[in-house]
Amino acid sequence: MYKILKAENPAENIYLMDVEAPRVARHCEPGQFVIVKMDEKGERIPLTICDYDREAGTITIVFQTVGASTKKMAELKTGDSFSDFVGPLGCASELIDEDLDSLKKKRILFVAGGVGTAPVYPQVKWLHERGVAADVIVGAKNKDLLILEEEMKAVAGNLYITTDDGSYQRKGMVTEVIKDLVQNEGKVYDVCIAIGPMIMMKFVSLLTKELNIPTVVSMNPIMVDGTGMCGACRLMVGSEVKFACVDGPEFDGHLVDFDQAMKRQQQYKTEEGRALLKLQEGDTHHGGCGNCN
Ligand code: NAD
Ligand code: FES
């Protein structure tokens, strides 16, 4: 069992938990995810790691209530436990394999949308701990839905906050801030890492393509079981079929076919849609576990 050491509700429908999982905490890297299960029969829920403390043996997860399982999960309190907490899964962010000297010269921009702020945080923190200061844009619908502001402020080079309704700091979507920084403030970036809702990652990628900024996105939102077996997270990256949970979750945002991924995500929700996808995609419908070719 994996004990919940802290359970908070930082914003409406958004929950943060510190979970005792020493083995995951020892081995995880920024960009990876875990799969949690509340009990034996519970749904498998893939969640990107928000923070980890190797010494304390804890993992921080942040989730939004979207369906029955996450609503049930939100009722868990400090002292309760998860029956399963599997990880770390997926590939770590490519940044962590780069040579530190060249990383220090890189002008890095993170774009975090809503709950996507949680998976951005460990990457910015990892860089900060190694002396790399990255710019971070955080977008939220309104002030009340903004999360991890203080935490992000402590590790970002520059933090730009924007709200859709202008209730806090800048007004407008994250794409407006990117344009403003690059076109009006003369900022130059070598790479952009955008994590948030699919629609945000699509429009950030379209914009950064125009601005010639290589962009990485995290396709966690299309995952279902996180094992490579269900076929839910199949997507096209350039001309290649990929699976977010096995090959990702991070991909080149300029190559991801977001329209196809979003359409497929809708189709996958119904039994009829899944049957049709299985028929159309044949042997490439699911990705296997990633270890069996
Ligand atoms: P949201 O809808 O509140 O959007 C967050 C911000 O994204 C907005 O404030 C805006 O700045 C930007 N945005 C939204 N639509 C945009 C558009 N059309 N163009 C430009 N910018 C746009 O976000 P939310 O409700 O917190 O997000 C929930 C989603 O985030 C879920 O779908 C979840 O799956 C996803 N999510 C993704 C990851 C990941 O790894 N990619 C991780 C956690 C959550
Ligand atoms: Fe099921 Fe990736 S989430 S195959």
Side-chain angles (χ1 to χ4, degrees):
M1 298 296 268
Y2 300 84
K3 201 169 174 184
I4 299 166
L5 303 180
K6 181 170 94 178
E8 290 178 353
N9 178 199
E12 197 185 343
N13 297 331
I14 301 177
Y15 296 83
L16 179 150
M17 291 176 181
D18 282 352
V19 182
E20 195 172 48
R23 202 193 60 80
V24 185
R26 241 188 342 264
H27 298 287
C28 70
E29 298 290 359
Q32 292 189 292
F33 67 96
V34 290
I35 292 180
V36 306
K37 257 174 80 175
M38 274 171 284
D39 49 55
E40 268 314 298
K41 291 189 180 145
E43 197 186 330
R44 299 162 59 90
I45 305 173
L47 294 168
T48 316
I49 293 167
C50 167
D51 201 2
Y52 51 89
D53 184 329
R54 298 208 200 284
E55 278 181 22
T58 57
I59 295 287
T60 306
I61 51 170
V62 172
F63 62 94
Q64 195 173 27
T65 48
V66 281
S69 293
T70 43
K71 282 209 170 85
K72 210 171 143 202
M73 201 162 118
E75 286 167 13
L76 295 175
K77 302 269 177 295
T78 303
D80 290 340
S81 298
F82 288 104
S83 77
D84 259 338
F85 198 88
V86 181
L89 298 167
C91 307
S93 161
E94 281 182 16
L95 283 176
I96 71 162
D97 289 326
E98 282 192 39
D99 172 64
L100 197 55
D101 287 330
S102 62
L103 209 49
K104 281 183 179 164
K105 290 186 196 117
K106 250 187 182 167
R107 293 153 300 185
I108 306 171
L109 174 67
F110 284 89
V111 181
V115 193
T117 307
V120 164
Y121 174 67
Q123 301 203 28
V124 183
K125 184 180 169 192
W126 188 95
L127 290 168
H128 170 77
E129 286 169 350
R130 285 153 185 84
V132 184
D135 280 3
V136 181
I137 300 171
V138 173
K141 282 195 192 81
N142 58 51
K143 184 178 189 298
D144 295 340
L145 290 174
L146 188 66
I147 56 166
L148 301 170
E149 181 186 359
E150 288 310 313
E151 290 83 347
M152 200 65 100
K153 209 183 269 174
V155 294
N158 293 296
L159 176 63
Y160 307 93
I161 294 176
T162 187
T163 47
D164 298 3
D165 65 355
S167 52
Y168 190 55
Q169 301 213 1
R170 295 176 181 234
K171 182 175 195 273
M173 296 200 174
V174 291
T175 36
E176 297 305 314
V177 186
I178 302 175
K179 272 190 231 162
D180 191 38
L181 294 179
V182 174
Q183 293 172 344
N184 301 331
E185 294 190 26
K187 290 266 191 177
V188 177
Y189 294 107
D190 300 308
V191 64
C192 167
I193 296 112
I195 308 184
M198 295 277 277
I199 193 75
M200 179 205 93
M201 296 192 287
K202 171 186 164 171
F203 282 103
V204 168
S205 298
L206 285 172
L207 175 62
T208 55
K209 195 163 186 184
E210 249 175 62
L211 299 171
N212 215 9
I213 309 171
T215 295
V216 175
V217 295
S218 171
M219 299 302 281
N220 181 294
I222 57 174
M223 286 187 206
V224 172
D225 75 347
T227 63
M229 302 305 288
C230 72
C233 69
R234 185 187 191 274
L235 75 158
M236 294 305 295
V237 182
S239 57
E240 290 181 74
V241 172
K242 296 281 183 190
F243 292 85
C245 66
V246 175
D247 304 310
E250 296 190 351
F251 296 99
D252 181 339
H254 296 168
L255 294 181
V256 168
D257 186 338
F258 286 101
D259 291 337
Q260 186 256 7
M262 287 188 280
K263 186 171 161 223
R264 195 179 181 282
Q265 190 182 23
Q266 287 309 315
Q267 224 175 328
Y268 199 86
K269 285 181 182 158
T270 65
E271 209 171 303
E272 201 184 326
R274 284 196 293 279
L276 185 62
L277 286 169
K278 204 170 177 183
L279 192 71
Q280 287 167 340
E281 295 167 356
D283 287 347
T284 70
H285 178 63
H286 65 74
C289 63
N291 296 312
C292 58
N293 296 322

